[in-house]
Amino acid sequence: MASLITLVGAFAVLRVLGLLGVAALDGWLPALRGALAAMFLLTASAHFLAPRRHELVAMVPPGLRRPGLLVTVTGVLEIAGAAGLALPATHRLAAGCLAVLLVAMFPANVHAARTGGSLGGRSVTPLVPRTAMQVLYVGCCAAVAAS
């Protein structure tokens, strides 16, 4: 849920800044790019910091080998994608790659929801709301990629 709050909150703040005259944030697209970057930096931090890293490793479906490495790689990709969103020359490619990454990581969310996983000491978001959030995140990435 923190990712959704970050996305919506950062979008609102950045959009208001654009309306107040910050030229680089003038428009919904720059605000969305910044909000997505903030969200992915937040989610990436969990890939490296205990205790959330251990919880993410536990979310990896058992059929996948080397879950610790997978969590590290996806965290690095989220950071790279966030950086790519900030650069005008790469924001479309970064957004498209992040959309693919979200789809690739979704089975871990399904596994966690079905097995009663936790993040930050709380139960993971149930599958239906988590799916809706995932659709929103992929849609936002697709909107930036298509811009």
Side-chain angles (χ1 to χ4, degrees):
M1 192 60 71
S3 56
L4 179 61
I5 293 167
T6 300
L7 179 68
V8 173
F11 179 80
V13 168
L14 295 173
R15 189 64 191 110
V16 167
L17 289 172
L19 293 171
L20 292 175
V22 178
L25 297 172
D26 190 18
W28 68 269
L29 185 61
L32 183 58
R33 286 187 0 233
L36 281 168
M39 182 192 81
F40 278 108
L41 289 174
L42 172 78
T43 58
S45 69
H47 291 241
F48 303 102
L49 302 174
R52 293 210 172 147
R53 175 178 171 74
H54 304 295
E55 295 167 329
L56 289 177
V57 170
M59 286 176 60
V60 176
L64 297 176
R65 297 171 48 125
R66 304 196 57 198
L69 177 62
L70 290 174
V71 168
T72 299
V73 168
T74 55
V76 168
L77 292 174
E78 288 181 2
I79 293 168
L85 287 169
L87 301 172
T90 59
H91 75 264
R92 288 180 187 92
L93 176 63
C97 290
L98 286 167
V100 171
L101 181 63
L102 285 167
V103 171
M105 292 188 310
F106 189 64
N109 292 302
V110 172
H111 174 70
R114 288 188 171 167
T115 60
S118 66
L119 271 175
R122 298 182 189 161
S123 295
V124 296
T125 305
L127 189 55
V128 171
R130 179 62 194 155
T131 300
M133 290 179 357
Q134 197 82 355
V135 168
L136 173 68
Y137 302 153
V138 171
C140 288
C141 288
V144 170
S147 66

